[in-house]
């Protein structure tokens, strides 16, 4: 039976619980265990799909089409285990399901309450599909003491009782601030946070304490004494040079060993950390560097492009180069002198996005990349912009645009009204709901055997994740191809354009899907590896 590890947060938010969960999973995996991670989000949205990236960072899409929290991206990047819909639950989803059941009369006249009905749903979610696992790590969003997270904490308390103490371990993450005026680290917030947690019935087994300098032994002993944990179970979590340093750093501090000890597991195999050693060697000993200009909308908030940033780093790992990312605001670009900003770039990437704002700046960067033969990578909206640019400037369709931005005489990009979904034909109307109405998740595409992308992938059948409402209009294929923009990847039924490329350009690829979601540090995505390779070549030219 799977063992459960619960990770709660205290003192402040943004302690990096998601990375901690992912790093612990990676360490347990390195010891040969089968691990999965789940995220419990206490907000009332059914999923983060309708939330602004400004508020919540990127929406991470799974193969099975779930729009989930960006922490699931960390989980997948660190473990290689593909996340699923059943790995992310929100309060909103739980309430929606309960109210649907209540309306159907499933509760047979009972009064429906937070305890037991909401807590039972949370427990059922945690316990579903865990039979083949050694460990399930559950990360609880928010901070202990929040009103929203109370039902989750209560569900964990009950689960610890239901499953027995040998089956569950609780890790609480806290902050130990340094007070400059006193010249001291302060343990009091940690003590208070643990007191809050114990008052809700959960005694943590381990404390993972974020701290910006080495934690003196005396402080460690003090925390142990006040918080009822072994001194070795107070794990200092110092800031890391890279997120990929975190697993080995925690390993050195004894995190995985203490977790196993808390479960009473004495015969655990030693971890094989060679995979992480190799990543760090490539990361910290690069043999060159390239600069990639990312022309987007949410450039002030790197979390909005989390997976993209990581995939570019992975492309660098594949080529043993450091990748500098220059975030360029597409909107400012509409006024600015485009060449002066883009000339220093070794590659230009237009990422996914929604809405018209900044689009002319994105189109101008596509034009620059095409004319100057700078490696260009367009992702989702970026591919659509590449098609509009091609239509306007190489196919003579001056009025080309997308219906996403309003009526247009040449809808080179338009609303997808029907496509073959997992359960047959899916249909959409222009005035439908915004939430959950996109073409989401993994779909296959067929590549032209002679294309650049087929050479990059090393095959002609691929599966990639999607999240879009609009598509390039296949009726314009002839006109765009005559202008040099070739449709080199299509949905298997031949209706939806998935990839475009320019054979007369050193590296010009637009994809309708999000390859960044599947890239991993130990398995960089081929498109990112190849794009960075092209940028390295470009860097030798300029
Ligand atoms: N807004 C575009 C669409 O819905 C692109 C979406 C995206 O980039 N993820 O098709």
């Amino acid at each position: 039976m799977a063992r459960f590890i619960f990770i709660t947060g205290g003192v402040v938010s943004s302690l990096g619980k998601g990375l901690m969960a992912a790093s612990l999973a990676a360490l347990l995996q390195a010891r040969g265990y089968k691990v999965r991670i789940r995220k419990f989000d206490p907000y009332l949205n059914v999923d983060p799909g309708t939330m602004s990236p400004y508020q919540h960072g990127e929406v991470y899409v799974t193969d099975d089409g779930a729009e989930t929290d960006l922490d699931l991206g960390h989980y997948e990047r660190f473990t290689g285990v593909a996340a699923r819909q059943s790995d992310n639950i929100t309060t909103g989803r739980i309430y929606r399901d309960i109210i649907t059941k209540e309306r159907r009369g499933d509760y047979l006249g009972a009064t429906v309450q937070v305890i037991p009905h909401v807590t039972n749903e949370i427990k059922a979610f945690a316990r579903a599909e865990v039979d083949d696992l050694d460990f399930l790590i559950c990360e609880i969003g928010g901070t202990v003491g929040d009103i929203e997270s109370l039902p989750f904490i209560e569900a964990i308390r009950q689960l610890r009782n239901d499953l027995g103490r040998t089956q569950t371990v609780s890790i609480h993450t806290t902050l130990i601030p340094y007070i400059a005026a006193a010249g001291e680290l302060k343990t009091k917030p940690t003590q208070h946070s643990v007191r809050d947690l114990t008052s809700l019935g959960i005694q943590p087994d381990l404390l993972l304490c974020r701290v910006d300098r080495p934690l003196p032994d005396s402080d460690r002993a003090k925390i142990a004494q006040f918080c009822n944990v072994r001194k070795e179970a107070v794990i200092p979590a110092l800031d890391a040079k890279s997120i990929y340093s975190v697993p080995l750093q925690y390993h050195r501090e004894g995190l995985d060993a203490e977790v196993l000890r808390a479960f009473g597991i004495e015969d655990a195999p030693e971890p094989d950390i060679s995979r992480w050693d190799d990543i760090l060697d490539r990361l910290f000993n690069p043999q060159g560097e390239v600069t990639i200009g990312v022309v987007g909308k949410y450039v002030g908030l790197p979390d909005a492009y989390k997976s993209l940033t990581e995939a570019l780093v992975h492309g660098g790992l594949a080529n043993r180069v450091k990748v500098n990312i220059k975030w360029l605001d597409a909107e400012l670009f509409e006024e600015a002198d485009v060449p002066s900003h883009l000339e220093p770039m070794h590659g230009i990437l237009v990422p996914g996005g929604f809405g018209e704002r900044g689009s002319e700046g994105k189109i101008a960067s596509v034009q620059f990349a095409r004319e100057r033969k700078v490696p260009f990578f367009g992702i989702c909206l970026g591919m659509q912009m590449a098609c509009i640019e091609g239509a306007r400037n190489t196919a003579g369709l001056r009025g080309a645009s997308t219906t996403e931005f309003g009526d247009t005489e040449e809808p080179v990009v338009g609303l997808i009204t029907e496509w073959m979904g997992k359960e047959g034909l899916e249909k959409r109307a222009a005035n439908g709901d915004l939430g959950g109405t996109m073409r989401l998740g993994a779909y296959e595409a067929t590549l032209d055997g002679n294309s650049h992308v087929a050479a990059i992938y090393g095959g002609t059948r691929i599966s990639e994740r999607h999240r879009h409402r609009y598509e390039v209009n296949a009726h314009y294929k002839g006109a765009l191809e005559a202008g040099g923009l070739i449709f080199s990847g299509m949905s298997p039924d031949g209706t939806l354009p998935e990839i475009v490329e320019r054979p007369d350009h050193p590296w010009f690829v637009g994809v309708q899907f999000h390859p960044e979601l599947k890239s991993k540090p130990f398995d960089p995505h081929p498109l990112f590896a190849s794009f960075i390779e092209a940028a390295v070549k470009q860097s030798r030219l300029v």
Side-chain angles (χ1 to χ4, degrees):
M1 186 184 157
R3 294 179 166 93
F4 289 73
I5 300 168
F6 299 107
I7 303 188
T8 51
V11 185
V12 292
S13 58
S14 305
L15 286 177
K17 283 196 303 260
L19 270 178
M20 294 173 177
S23 299
L24 175 58
L27 291 173
L28 292 170
Q29 220 182 25
R31 290 181 184 262
Y33 292 113
K34 233 180 143 216
V35 187
R36 181 168 275 285
I37 319 175
R38 289 193 173 143
K39 175 88 194 271
F40 298 62
D41 277 315
Y43 50 72
L44 282 173
N45 302 63
V46 170
D47 60 43
T50 55
M51 286 158 99
S52 157
Y54 288 117
Q55 293 242 336
H56 201 69
E58 103 181 339
V59 174
Y60 190 76
V61 179
T62 59
D63 278 333
D64 60 359
E67 298 180 278
T68 69
D69 187 83
L70 59 78
D71 276 332
L72 273 80
H74 288 313
Y75 304 165
E76 202 172 315
R77 280 188 285 277
F78 276 62
T79 63
V81 177
R84 301 191 288 232
Q85 170 77 72
S86 55
D87 295 326
N88 190 200
I89 191 114
T90 68
T91 300
R93 181 177 290 273
I94 294 169
Y95 275 80
R96 187 191 66 180
D97 293 351
I98 289 178
I99 290 168
T100 306
K101 285 192 208 165
E102 188 272 336
R103 292 289 85 186
R104 268 201 317 250
D106 289 2
Y107 293 107
L108 305 174
T111 306
V112 184
Q113 294 177 298
V114 173
I115 304 171
H117 298 100
V118 171
T119 46
N120 281 353
E121 290 284 332
I122 298 171
K123 291 200 288 181
F125 166 75
R127 297 184 71 163
E129 299 171 39
V130 294
D131 291 343
D132 61 336
L133 298 179
D134 296 307
F135 294 98
L136 178 76
I137 300 178
C138 298
E139 181 199 341
I140 320 298
T143 307
V144 166
D146 295 348
I147 292 177
E148 289 90 343
S149 55
L150 280 174
F152 292 95
I153 304 288
E154 168 61 12
I156 297 176
R157 186 194 66 74
Q158 292 180 18
L159 267 177
R160 279 177 53 93
N161 201 40
D162 298 347
L163 296 165
R165 292 300 144 88
T166 55
Q167 290 303 116
T168 72
V169 155
S170 158
I171 303 180
H172 191 52
T173 62
T174 72
L175 174 72
I176 304 182
Y178 178 77
I179 305 296
E184 279 181 351
L185 286 165
K186 291 294 180 189
T187 65
K188 194 76 82 190
T190 297
Q191 297 176 37
H192 280 295
S193 183
V194 171
R195 192 158 71 196
D196 282 349
L197 190 60
T198 47
S199 76
L200 298 170
I202 298 177
Q203 165 64 52
D205 301 292
L206 272 85
L207 296 176
L208 198 49
C209 306
R210 285 298 297 271
V211 57
D212 71 353
R213 62 202 65 212
L215 184 65
D217 206 49
S218 56
D219 281 339
R220 211 169 170 181
K222 190 163 149 193
I223 294 170
Q225 188 178 41
F226 277 102
C227 300
N228 269 331
V229 296
R230 283 159 40 81
K231 192 170 125 196
E232 294 74 20
V234 179
I235 313 273
L238 269 78
D239 298 343
K241 251 165 73 186
S242 153
I243 56 171
Y244 300 118
S245 315
V246 175
L248 293 188
Q249 193 169 313
Y250 288 180
H251 176 61
R252 283 192 293 273
E253 298 289 358
L255 175 66
D256 45 326
E258 272 305 312
V259 167
L260 294 167
R261 192 183 183 285
F263 278 116
I265 299 172
E266 279 159 11
D267 55 353
E270 280 303 307
D272 173 5
I273 53 173
S274 50
R275 175 192 260 192
W276 293 96
D277 277 337
D278 179 49
I279 292 169
L280 297 188
D281 179 45
R282 288 169 178 270
L283 193 63
F284 295 128
N285 304 302
Q287 290 160 3
E289 53 187 284
V290 293
T291 303
I292 304 297
V294 178
V295 185
K297 185 159 107 177
Y298 313 105
V299 290
L301 191 89
D303 262 4
Y305 299 113
K306 193 79 220 163
S307 296
L308 179 73
T309 309
E310 295 311 321
L312 285 167
V313 171
H314 305 162
L317 296 178
N319 292 283
R320 271 198 180 268
V321 291
K322 178 169 187 272
V323 177
N324 304 309
I325 302 178
K326 186 98 183 119
W327 300 101
L328 300 165
D329 182 347
E331 208 175 358
L332 295 177
F333 243 58
E334 289 172 3
E335 318 278 295
D337 164 31
V338 174
S340 71
H341 284 85
L342 291 183
E343 266 160 9
M345 302 301 143
H346 306 129
I348 295 169
L349 192 151
V350 179
F354 293 83
E356 188 170 11
R357 195 145 57 80
S359 56
E360 290 303 324
K362 294 175 191 175
I363 292 170
S365 356
V366 179
Q367 183 177 3
F368 176 90
R370 176 177 58 77
E371 290 175 349
R372 301 287 193 96
K373 302 226 181 292
V374 179
F376 171 80
F377 197 0
I379 295 180
C380 207
L381 186 67
M383 175 228 200
Q384 298 173 356
M385 295 297 107
C387 290
I388 292 171
E389 193 280 330
R392 287 184 189 171
N393 300 330
T394 67
L397 304 165
R398 296 304 308 172
S401 187
T402 162
T403 58
E404 181 174 359
F405 306 159
D407 288 341
T408 162
E409 55 192 84
E410 298 287 0
V412 168
V413 180
L415 184 73
I416 335 178
T417 48
E418 44 182 70
W419 71 91
M420 284 314 287
K422 308 227 160 42
E423 273 134 37
L425 193 67
E426 302 223 20
K427 287 185 187 264
R428 291 291 178 266
N431 53 0
D433 283 352
L434 281 187
T437 56
M438 283 189 266
R439 180 172 177 248
L440 285 168
Y443 286 92
E444 290 198 332
T446 311
L447 313 185
D448 172 351
N450 298 321
S451 63
H452 186 195
V453 281
I456 293 171
Y457 274 99
T460 55
R461 192 81 172 186
I462 60 166
S463 171
E464 294 282 3
R465 296 183 194 168
H466 295 70
R467 181 172 186 251
H468 62 123
R469 233 176 240 114
Y470 297 83
E471 62 170 320
V472 174
N473 187 339
H475 293 124
Y476 288 94
K477 183 171 189 274
L480 288 170
E481 291 196 336
L485 189 65
I486 304 302
F487 286 37
S488 53
M490 298 292 287
S491 58
D493 65 0
T495 58
L496 289 179
E498 293 275 13
I499 307 181
V500 294
E501 63 183 51
R502 286 194 174 273
D504 63 351
H505 187 285
W507 210 100
F508 189 106
V509 175
V511 296
Q512 184 56 76
F513 44 82
H514 289 276
E516 71 273 25
L517 300 176
K518 288 190 22 175
S519 187
K520 296 164 190 86
F522 40 82
D523 185 16
H525 191 286
L527 286 173
F528 282 90
S530 174
F531 176 57
I532 298 299
E533 188 187 351
V536 172
K537 287 191 193 133
Q538 178 72 13
S539 74
R540 299 204 179 112
L541 297 178
V542 290

